[in-house]
Amino acid sequence: MSYKVETIPTGDVLIGEGPHWDVETQSLYFVDIDNAIILRYDYKENKTYSAKVEGENCTSFIIPVEGENGNFAVGCDRNVAIVAWDGVSTSAKVVRNAYEVQTKFELNRLNDGKADPRGRLITGTIYKHPKDMFSTRNCELYSFEKGKPVALIKSDVGLSNGMTWNEKAGKFYFVDSLDYDVKEYDYDLETGVATNPKIVFKHASHLPDGVTIDTEGNIYIATYTGHTVYKVKPSTGEVLLEIKFPCKQITSVAFGGPNLDILYVTSSRLDDQPPPSGSTFKVTGLGAKGLPMTKVRV
């Protein structure tokens, strides 16, 4: 297969993460975590707009809120904040905090977050000590459903990371990077309960990070230490394709574009990684399509 990897214009990003393709605006939303910046890549303009979230020191995900045009659920430290942004201005404001978690764990923060196919927000925490992120398993994975208390999906999490769903098969895929694997769960879409974990991908040295899925049920796994996105068939664990990148720290993946056939890939330049680290890439020619991403209900 002949695929093509190119950068898109995003400006200077330290830790790109959390890509979310919004069909309505034909835009890719993502974050620069440690700079507390949210970004929007406009497909038609081939241009990226970015905004600092006022008063915050980190942003871990950004998802449009259903029914609230211009409002986004954004992970800000241990809060799920509702942030107002017009997609163009250089600053954005928190209008309310929807949820807070793990108030006793000051060195924990929210990490990856996505809306499940029913609009629940699923997100988990990591231990954010910069030199010792791998020393504890006091993190957790949560489900936030509108009008209901916060539900705990999983405790004993080391480093909560990527997630995606196969709605037809009733499966949920979750990455705890400390386990160096991707687990598949049976997922009840009516209740948001995940059960029966099974490892579908494991790598001896490449740290798995973000993950997405195509229309055929194959998952795409970004590796933070491996220059690579792996395309994997979960039912067999077979690696169908290794997509290579010119930088090491690949953070997350999302299908987008007018036909949902472009794979957008974020990266990090943490610890003085050389260019093009920190770029956001587009991969074309994969012969695969993704699924429309869901807005969150909060």
Side-chain angles (χ1 to χ4, degrees):
M1 176 177 292
S2 178
Y3 62 83
K4 186 176 183 180
V5 176
E6 302 168 274
T7 58
I8 62 172
T10 58
D12 190 25
V13 173
L14 178 62
I15 311 174
E17 253 288 9
H20 176 101
W21 179 261
D22 182 48
V23 172
E24 191 176 316
T25 60
Q26 289 291 290
S27 295
L28 183 76
Y29 291 94
F30 58 109
V31 299
D32 184 356
I33 296 179
D34 283 1
N35 288 320
I37 287 173
I38 54 178
L39 303 99
R40 180 181 73 88
Y41 168 70
D42 187 302
Y43 177 84
K44 291 177 184 175
E45 295 181 16
N46 192 33
K47 179 180 178 180
T48 297
Y49 299 88
S50 63
K52 173 76 168 69
V53 180
E54 295 178 11
E56 300 298 334
N57 55 27
C58 72
T59 49
S60 56
F61 60 83
I62 175 171
I63 309 167
V65 177
E66 185 177 283
E68 295 187 26
N69 189 35
N71 280 358
F72 301 85
V74 179
C76 296
D77 206 24
R78 291 182 305 280
N79 290 305
V80 176
I82 306 304
V83 173
W85 186 38
D86 61 7
V88 176
S89 302
T90 56
S91 65
K93 292 185 177 180
V94 175
V95 294
R96 68 182 190 272
N97 281 320
Y99 306 100
E100 185 178 11
V101 299
Q102 293 200 302
T103 54
K104 296 179 181 179
F105 293 93
E106 291 186 0
L107 284 177
N108 285 9
R109 68 159 174 83
L110 291 171
N111 199 37
D112 243 349
K114 278 186 184 176
D116 80 359
R118 295 290 186 271
R120 299 180 188 90
L121 172 63
I122 311 299
T123 182
T125 51
I126 67 170
Y127 182 63
K128 64 183 180 182
H129 193 290
K131 300 189 186 307
D132 201 16
M133 293 181 73
F134 302 95
S135 65
T136 179
R137 295 194 66 90
N138 66 8
C139 300
E140 295 178 329
L141 181 68
Y142 309 97
S143 174
F144 303 90
E145 186 168 355
K146 189 172 184 177
K148 295 186 178 182
V150 177
L152 180 68
I153 296 177
K154 188 181 187 307
S155 57
D156 185 35
V157 173
L159 201 163
S160 182
N161 236 318
M163 57 201 72
T164 195
W165 290 263
N166 184 329
E167 184 174 3
K168 288 182 181 177
K171 302 295 184 183
F172 168 57
Y173 299 92
F174 173 60
V175 175
D176 182 343
S177 294
L178 246 60
D179 293 337
Y180 282 82
D181 64 27
V182 182
K183 292 185 178 74
E184 176 189 85
Y185 291 77
D186 293 329
Y187 192 78
D188 187 329
L189 281 164
E190 301 310 312
T191 63
V193 173
T195 54
N196 303 321
K198 179 180 78 170
I199 294 171
V200 294
F201 175 82
K202 191 173 184 69
H203 201 286
S205 58
H206 291 175
L207 197 75
D209 201 326
V211 62
T212 193
I213 195 166
D214 67 20
T215 56
E216 296 180 351
N218 301 307
I219 57 174
Y220 297 72
I221 305 150
T223 56
Y224 189 74
T225 49
H227 298 87
T228 306
V229 170
Y230 291 93
K231 177 181 180 179
V232 173
K233 186 176 182 179
S235 59
T236 62
E238 179 187 359
V239 175
L240 302 176
L241 182 65
E242 296 184 16
I243 308 168
K244 298 294 183 180
F245 293 85
C247 60
K248 180 180 179 181
Q249 297 172 349
I250 306 302
T251 55
S252 196
V253 284
F255 277 101
N259 300 311
L260 296 175
D261 60 353
I262 301 170
L263 187 68
Y264 290 101
V265 181
T266 51
S267 71
S268 160
R269 59 176 178 85
L270 205 60
D271 301 322
D272 298 317
Q273 290 289 308
S277 300
S279 298
T280 297
F281 301 91
K282 64 175 182 179
V283 186
T284 52
L286 288 171
K289 288 187 177 184
L291 300 159
M293 296 182 76
T294 311
K295 293 184 179 184
V296 71
R297 300 172 183 170
V298 290

